[in-house]
Amino acid sequence: MKKILALLLAVPVWGIAQQTDPLLSGNEYLQQKWVDSIYGQMTLKEKVGQLFMIDVFPEQGEKKIKRAEELIREYHVGGVIFFRGNPHQQAVLTNKYQAASKVPLLVGMDAEWGLAMRLDSTFAYPWNMTLGAVKNEKLIEQAGYQIGRHARRLGVHINFAPDIDINTNPENPIIGNRSFGEDKHNVAEKGAAFARGMRNAGILACGKHFPGHGDTETDSHKTLPTITFSKSRINNVELYPYNRLISENLESVMVAHLNVPALENREHYPSSISKNIITGLLKEELGFNGLIFTDALNMKGASDFTSPGDIDLAAFMAGNDMLVMSLDVPRASQKLIEAYNEGQITEERLEYSVKKILKAKFKVGLAKYSPIDTTDLYRDLNTKRDNLLEEEIYANAITVARNQDSLVPFTRLEDKDIAYVHFGDAGGEEFLKALNHYARVDEVQADKLDVLLKQLQPYNTVIIGHHRSNESPWKPHDFTVGELTWIYEIAREKKVVLTTFVKPYNLLKLSTLNNIESIVVGYQNNPVAQRKAAEVIFGAIGAKGVLPVTANKELLVNTGITTEALGRLQYGIPESVGMNSATLKKIDSITEEAIKTLAMPGAQVLVARRGKVVYNKSFGRHTYTGNRPVSNGDIYDVASLTKILATLPMIMKMNDDERITIDSRLGDILPELKGTNKENISVRDVLLHYGRIKPWIPFYRYTLDKDTDKPLEKYYRKRPQGKFTVKVTDHLYMREDYRDSIFKAVKESDLLSKKGYRYSDLGYFMLQKFIEDSYGSSLDSLDENYFYASLGADRTMFNPLDRGIEKENIVPSEADDYFRYQIIQGYVHDMAAAMKGGVSGHAGLFSNADDIAKIMQMYLQKGYYGGKHYFKEGTIDKFNTCYYCDRDVRRGLGFDKPRPESIGDELYNRVPKGCFCHSGFTGTYTWADPENELVYVFLSNRTYPTASNRKLITKGTRTEILKVIYDAIADK
């Protein structure tokens, strides 16, 4: 009675009941009929052969590949397990081996995080440690399902996964990243979800390494590790996930190569051949009825077995069904046959295991075996669904483990000067690149600590990235002693975000967390993990992950600080937002064709949907004859996009601050216009281009010599002197007072004779003056202070050369042969804006596609971005209203609106009327669609070398791309 009570206390309730047969298929009658038929035709040698699963390494040469085929033909082995190689090699060998086998082979792999664990050039899912940080179990199940789909496509039937070891020893050289963590509940839940996913894909799951491989500091491939826990502890912790998975009909279990004194009293006796552990504990106590596999029988440490085949016999007698990676199949087969003939192995025992194996083969479809079709194999193993799921998993795994003063996510970017310091022996390029999507983040490098600290002086915030190899889960992960010292010293002087892209055990080496404000764990040095960590730091996504293991005495298991998303743009794949990658790729050919036909030298194209940038490419070169390719960081003269990116936001702010209304009259807001023909024009009509204001005035022509068309000395000098201080371009300085003449000419200009829509730059000259007079500051400073700095739009500015941007990073806009007589690069293309010193309300802004997308996304989000509300509720809608549509004025206030003449009738009839957009003379364009949550940015320098080149316009390149974007929306 006492023994029964002790057993009840030691084993969870669900483990007592006998497991239903996990190997039954959907048609039990046909399954049993097939199993009995195959078994009935087998010789003793064929039956014994079914017990073996041999290893195959496709890269080990023809001799070993041929030897595997000989074992299949002569000894009728039941299965093969593949290691390394590539998918095509494996598929070809699988077909070859299956053709050689009388009974179809059960094909296995160690694909714990997908086929890439053992195959080159194949998609890899995150490691189990990373999955252990994810709270959303549906994602784990989906990962199991996708891995299962890949396995089936490659002719694999059993995946030796999930690893459900409880990872309680940070020094474990074998488990580590392969475990879901140290919390038994977490491991059980994740393991069960992973197994369900594979089961749903038609793949057999295998829980390993029974009874628990988590607490060892030795390598079981090299010796026999000892687990010193008591039986009570093992029952309560290590066996917890097995009980859970067995209750959900786990199909198979792999027994570990361990010495477990609490369960096996023979000294140094491997668990993989222990009847007490396999039959007594796994089968009888836990009630497991599925397939039981040995771990590799060629591992060291089984010192009691010196004769080939003895360990195989012992493993079978202990209760295993399949013998994995025997040292000598012929000798082991002979040993088992001799034991059968001598009565040591009964027919009942042999039949029990062989029929289980056959039953498993029927369940995975081997009764109707067909060879693997190698057509499109790589495509099928690397799908967009895999990329999407990878993105979702990392987004859910990134963990904020510490966050003093809520430093993460970053807010008030205008107050932050950020540096990045790289640690580790692997690359962090994707991390740095992703950080720079959100703000200027400079990499600071030095060989000595004192030099580094000196170089960090201009910065108040430092992001440290710890990057080590992601090639395998067993690569080194710790900080070096020197790196630890540097972390402490940097943290003493600066606010620090320590971001690690290795398993979190590296944080155990930190003797103190004092002064380290934030710790972000990225788990793997994977490009997606790097991008998602950057997104968490800047609040593009919220942090959701938890530590799956104890990472430090102050960072306990299940620690995870949830942070909120701040509405900043994310970056990902089109399928994540309901768009089709293949369709969007047509943008490439449209843009490349435009370059090929000399419509423009190069371009940047960006597409975002639902707050995520899903297409962001640069094409061509800065000039047709140059060799500098366009990069995403290069900036363009955006021409009239200045109106909606610089002037309009200030007008909306002034509207919110009640400094102006859309019905304010120009004469009321600008005293200079009292008594002129402009005084009664409303701000509304200026923004709608409905105020009868002339389109433009060729100011520059009045400053040229009539005979030579060269700048008159009366107005210009080649260098600054006296009142000639307005820099128009290199070696051309205009008189200061001529700017007053420009405004005077605007003020005194005649109005058009008839009321109607007429696009005009001149209205923005007047709006700029009002803005600057109201604030006592220039438009460029106001935009920087109120918008660009806090948006993280550090590539958006007027007069970029004065802001420290290198000329080589600025795309030239024209080879001017009519006014300035030089290549215009870094100076505004628009002549009037140039004569105003490069800052004007209608033109002068430089930017790149990334930054413009931020501003347009802020507009889409009704003025919210980065945790900040830039405008009051309703302001964006007020300005994005077509007030005079009934008068055939299809514009909003400042914004252009969809018009048949600009985008074509077919597209006009497809797009929502709430869209807003604008184009620029230099070949720029941006579009936003609130209903479909779209942002599109197109930047080019179609005006180079000459503005007379109108091919971009006549070809309709920008709107052709817009059509593709709408075609790519897959969920409409």
Side-chain angles (χ1 to χ4, degrees), residues 6 281 308 327 350 416 432 454 518 522 555 674 684 703 733 824 940 949 960:
L281 178 58
L327 278 167
L350 183 61
K416 289 183 173 60
L432 180 59
K454 184 176 181 180
S518 296
L555 304 174
K674 279 283 189 181
R684 182 200 306 256
T703 66
Y733 292 82
I824 307 305
S940 79
N949 178 12
E960 282 301 308

Side-chain angles (χ1 to χ4, degrees), residues 30 83 119 135 150 172 190 218 346 380 409 414 439 534 558 606 670 821 903:
L30 287 180
F83 295 92
L119 296 175
K135 291 187 282 189
H150 291 174
N172 193 319
K190 298 294 191 306
T218 54
T346 65
D380 295 343
E414 65 271 29
N558 294 322
L606 181 148
L670 275 174
Y821 295 93
I903 63 173

